[in-house]
Amino acid sequence: LASVWEEAYDEGGGNAGAAASHLQELLALLRTMVDGQSWALRRAAAAALIDLANLSSGALKKRPDAASQFELLAASLRESSRRWDDKEALLPKLNACFPPPPTPHAAPPPTESADM
């Protein structure tokens, strides 16, 4: 399916401008793919998300109308309960494009006061 995405993108004269003008439709389609049951569609969604993030040196993922949607899609694909073929291979690329938020460190246990 990822090869079909790439072929359609290339055949349709795909470029950053075309992706930008249809970004909301692309993000809605990717949300459907990520939320679906098909492993193949999740893999294709991850590959498409990575491709979109790299277009125009990342300009699309920085757009105010799309930044949070990109992050939510990446977070959904990262979930451990979400399984799909090639996840181990694509996850580092996805994390490079959309770094996961830092995990909060546990607060150190309180220390006893010396003047007791």
Side-chain angles (χ1 to χ4, degrees):
L1 193 52
S3 64
V4 173
W5 158 267
E6 189 173 324
E7 182 181 340
Y9 184 82
D10 290 341
E11 295 275 328
N15 58 39
S21 62
H22 297 286
L23 188 58
Q24 291 306 314
E25 293 89 346
L26 289 170
L27 290 170
L29 176 61
L30 290 173
R31 170 54 59 197
T32 302
M33 294 166 69
V34 167
D35 290 342
Q37 298 299 314
S38 169
W39 291 17
L41 289 179
R42 285 188 203 143
R43 182 179 59 239
L49 195 59
I50 292 165
D51 286 347
L52 286 171
N54 290 322
L55 282 176
S56 294
S57 301
L60 291 179
K61 72 176 185 175
K62 296 174 188 164
R63 286 179 44 167
D65 62 331
S68 63
Q69 293 179 63
F70 274 114
E71 294 296 335
L72 289 172
L73 287 167
S76 292
L77 287 166
R78 259 188 229 107
E79 286 180 19
S80 61
S81 63
R82 298 235 182 233
R83 304 204 187 286
W84 36 281
D85 288 341
D86 295 335
K87 183 175 184 176
E88 296 79 21
L90 288 173
L91 203 53
K93 294 175 186 177
L94 189 68
N95 288 340
C97 293
F98 305 98
T103 55
H105 297 290
T111 58
E112 293 185 33
S113 178
D115 53 13
M116 279 191 193

